[in-house]
Amino acid sequence: MILPIYTYGQPVLRKVAEDIEPSYPNLKGLIQDMWDTLASSEGIGLAAPQIGLPIRLVVIDLDLLKDDLPEYDGFKKVFINSHIVDYDKSQTDSSQEGCLSLPAIRENVVRPKRIRVKYQDEDFTEHDEWVEGYLARVMQHEFDHLEGTMFIDRISPLRKQLIKSKLRSLLQGRFRTGYKVKAPRK
């Protein structure tokens, strides 16, 4: 089932998400709904808070980028109870980011090129690994959602001031997308 994506101004996007247990109700169905929602919105990552659930669940599909980034051919992964436990701040990169919860806003964000993450996969098998490159950027963006953070929180005050009218339009529901959304009430 394709679910609406919560947009800027929805309180769930500012909550710290909670870990879940394997007994979480209809987890497999929820994961499939997230894949369907991600595909219908043509995104590459989706965190549970973006569909209104304050839980630590993320899906990432980088297979869409395989023509430009062949190393991600077939990359489609679920991250449960994920946490970034270390940042290698010796090298950073500035790159433009967008977000399904912030339609029509794209800004350059500086992030470390390498991070250490702990998470569980769909079978609740534990993983503890260093990740780098574009995947590290996407994971930081999506895992930020689990901490109640959005990429606009990582841009300069000047850039944030320059997009203030766009943010106000989002809060007022004055925007268009090609996917289902749940905007804040006017």
Side-chain angles (χ1 to χ4, degrees), residues 8 14 18 29 31 35 43 56 60 78 89-90 108-109 111 126 132 134 146 160 164 175-176 179:
Y8 179 74
R14 294 306 191 171
E18 305 218 353
I31 291 169
W35 285 126
R56 298 189 86 84
I60 296 176
V78 175
K89 295 182 180 172
S90 65
N108 283 330
V109 179
R111 295 193 186 268
E126 301 266 344
E132 56 189 48
Y134 191 71
L146 306 178
K160 198 157 185 181
K164 197 173 187 174
F175 61 90
R176 289 188 187 160
Y179 48 89

Side-chain angles (χ1 to χ4, degrees), residues 145-164:
H145 281 298
L146 306 178
E147 301 300 332
T149 301
M150 300 179 85
F151 82 87
I152 57 169
D153 300 327
R154 300 197 179 279
I155 62 176
S156 72
L158 174 62
R159 289 300 311 160
K160 198 157 185 181
Q161 189 64 33
L162 291 171
I163 64 168
K164 197 173 187 174

Side-chain angles (χ1 to χ4, degrees), residues 62-78:
L62 296 183
D63 186 61
L64 300 169
L65 308 174
K66 65 185 171 198
D67 291 342
D68 295 323
L69 300 167
E71 64 270 30
Y72 297 119
D73 185 11
F75 187 97
K76 189 174 175 179
K77 207 164 182 180
V78 175

Side-chain angles (χ1 to χ4, degrees), residues 17-40:
E18 305 218 353
D19 284 354
I20 59 173
E21 298 294 324
S23 60
Y24 189 85
N26 192 26
L27 182 58
K28 295 275 186 214
L30 173 60
I31 291 169
Q32 186 57 55
D33 289 348
M34 288 180 70
W35 285 126
D36 294 345
T37 302
L38 183 63
S40 76

Side-chain angles (χ1 to χ4, degrees), residues 9 44 79:
I44 59 172
F79 300 88

